[in-house]
Amino acid sequence: MSGTVQLTVTALDGIPDVEPGADLAALLIAAIERQQLAPRRHDVLVVTQKIVSKAEGRYLDLARLEPSARARQLAEITGKDARLVEAVLSQADEVLRAKRNVLIVATRAGLVIANAGIDQSNLAAQDHGRRVLLLPQDADASAERLRQRLEAHFQCDMGLLISDSAGRAWRCGTVGIAIGAAGVPSLWDRRGEQDLAGRPL
Amino acid sequence: MSGTVQLTVTALDGIPDVEPGADLAALLIAAIERQQLAPRRHDVLVVTQKIVSKAEGRYLDLARLEPSARARQLAEITGKDARLVEAVLSQADEVLRAKRNVLIVATRAGLVIANAGIDQSNLAAQDHGRRVLLLPQDADASAERLRQRLEAHFQCDMGLLISDSAGRAWRCGTVGIAIGAAGVPSLWDRRGEQDLAGRPL
């Protein structure tokens, strides 16, 4: 199979529960080495938003939030907790859709996503659901910091993506999307190239 | 690395130009065998919409189309060829957005996609751009037919996806999406399961 173009995706095992202030790069490096993986030039590490946000301590205590009039109005429309809506608005530039069970906003970072990407899934339950987790403040910067640590350790050029799960307009379910990237072009501009028949792309 | 969960994606080489009426399953099987790949149970073959549509002869000759008043009106708004718009409308249940350079419809098959997925990229140029290529009439059925042929040949349960490239609302560029599937669940319903902290999904 020499000459065959292949891409292999390997799941990284044994990432512990990540606490605020944790050295996430060190946790990732340890997991990679425990699994005896040897990153090679241009390998890309995909890290979920959840553990990046946890390491960065992006928690918000809902009990400390005072919902604005706007938040209470959107809570009425969506049926969501007004304090959660307040948290969403704190991250949002613009509300794009609000209806029963749906609140889609454009975040300050430019992402269009339900609830500004804020959720409680896989958070420890001992605070009785008072805390929510925000997206990283600047996911590209978070990716870049992790990338630099990994490159320095493994002594090779690497890429790093921060992934989140998101719904897609007009389709059911959620899929993984990249919300931050470093060392990897996030958009490949092929305008000016030609298709098989010579038509310009 | 035993116990490691991995997914390997292998590019299939040497698919020839596909003509209407071609036995696409036979072409795929030949390419797989030339590359000495041995499909195993639950391997998934991803086939581009383009060659499925070509094999199914889903060409439309724009010169034979008479644009309706609605098509001419939308051509005016979008700046697109009125005959192309007529072709799009022939595949559409509903026009969702029409503005300069943009025509997004819901197709009869339920897909929300620009120009009903109709395009000319990678079509032979000898007809001077008169022909366009439609999506398969029923991509799930096309996938199922191909899957059955591959399973019978390789004597193992396989999955088959038909992929297309599509833009995403609010994001730049295009990504691959599945427009047809067989032998693979296209949506994984995890409602009722629990997250790490025991919260119901």
Side-chain angles (χ1 to χ4, degrees), chain B residues 51-124:
Chain B
I51 59 175
V52 175
S53 288
K54 283 181 172 179
E56 293 180 359
R58 297 278 292 158
Y59 289 99
L60 201 60
D61 185 342
L62 290 183
R64 290 166 176 270
L65 291 180
E66 186 56 56
S68 63
R70 173 93 173 114
R72 287 198 305 270
Q73 180 196 11
L74 286 167
E76 187 85 23
I77 294 169
T78 59
K80 293 176 186 285
D81 183 320
R83 299 166 309 171
L84 173 64
V85 175
E86 180 63 33
V88 171
L89 290 179
S90 78
Q91 304 299 304
D93 247 6
E94 191 186 349
V95 174
L96 291 168
R97 173 150 311 186
K99 63 177 191 177
R100 201 82 201 152
N101 296 323
V102 175
L103 181 58
I104 296 172
V105 303
T107 68
R108 293 195 206 298
L111 207 62
V112 172
I113 195 163
N115 302 321
I118 298 173
D119 69 23
Q120 297 189 307
S121 71
N122 295 320
L123 299 193

Side-chain angles (χ1 to χ4, degrees), chain B residues 11-34:
Chain B
L12 208 52
D13 263 343
I15 303 289
D17 227 3
V18 174
E19 299 290 340
D23 184 346
L24 185 56
L27 295 176
L28 294 168
I29 289 167
I32 290 169
E33 296 192 328
R34 255 197 320 271

Side-chain angles (χ1 to χ4, degrees), chain A residues 1 4-11 35 37 112 120-124 170-173 177-178 187 195-197 199, chain B residues 1 4-11 35 37 112 120-124 170-173 177-178 187 195-197 199:
Chain A
M1 288 182 11
T4 298
V5 178
Q6 288 191 319
L7 167 74
T8 297
V9 183
T10 305
Q35 219 156 325
L37 296 168
V112 171
Q120 296 189 308
S121 70
N122 295 320
L123 300 194
W170 300 297
R171 295 190 70 142
C172 296
I177 63 168
L187 192 62
D195 76 2
L196 293 177
R199 288 187 186 78
Chain B
M1 289 185 6
T4 299
V5 178
Q6 287 191 318
L7 167 74
T8 297
V9 183
T10 305
Q35 220 157 323
L37 296 169
V112 172
Q120 297 189 307
S121 71
N122 295 320
L123 299 193
W170 300 299
R171 294 190 71 143
C172 296
I177 62 168
L187 192 61
D195 76 1
L196 294 176
R199 288 188 185 77

Side-chain angles (χ1 to χ4, degrees), chain A residues 121-170:
Chain A
S121 70
N122 295 320
L123 300 194
Q126 63 263 35
D127 63 358
H128 306 290
R130 271 178 32 168
R131 292 195 309 175
V132 294
L133 193 62
L134 309 180
L135 295 189
Q137 185 125 33
D138 179 341
D140 285 332
S142 302
E144 176 60 20
R145 280 193 297 271
L146 289 171
R147 186 187 70 80
Q148 286 181 10
R149 290 279 304 281
L150 285 151
E151 283 198 359
H153 183 88
F154 291 112
Q155 292 291 310
C156 70
D157 291 343
M158 291 183 67
L160 200 136
L161 297 178
I162 297 179
S163 71
D164 196 3
S165 44
R168 291 162 298 167
W170 300 297

Side-chain angles (χ1 to χ4, degrees), chain A residues 47-173:
Chain A
V47 184
T48 62
Q49 163 271 322
K50 186 68 41 98
I51 59 174
V52 176
S53 288
K54 283 181 172 178
E56 294 180 357
R58 297 279 290 157
Y59 289 99
L60 201 60
D61 185 342
L62 289 184
R64 291 167 174 270
L65 290 180
E66 186 55 56
S68 63
R70 174 94 173 112
R72 287 198 304 271
Q73 179 197 13
L74 286 167
E76 187 84 24
I77 293 168
T78 59
K80 293 175 186 285
D81 184 321
R83 299 166 310 169
L84 173 64
V85 175
E86 180 62 33
V88 171
L89 291 179
S90 77
Q91 304 300 305
D93 247 5
E94 192 185 349
V95 175
L96 291 167
R97 173 149 314 186
K99 63 177 191 179
R100 200 82 201 151
N101 296 323
V102 175
L103 181 58
I104 296 171
V105 302
T107 69
R108 294 195 206 297
L111 207 62
V112 171
I113 194 162
N115 303 321
I118 297 173
D119 69 23
Q120 296 189 308
S121 70
N122 295 320
L123 300 194
Q126 63 263 35
D127 63 358
H128 306 290
R130 271 178 32 168
R131 292 195 309 175
V132 294
L133 193 62
L134 309 180
L135 295 189
Q137 185 125 33
D138 179 341
D140 285 332
S142 302
E144 176 60 20
R145 280 193 297 271
L146 289 171
R147 186 187 70 80
Q148 286 181 10
R149 290 279 304 281
L150 285 151
E151 283 198 359
H153 183 88
F154 291 112
Q155 292 291 310
C156 70
D157 291 343
M158 291 183 67
L160 200 136
L161 297 178
I162 297 179
S163 71
D164 196 3
S165 44
R168 291 162 298 167
W170 300 297
R171 295 190 70 142
C172 296

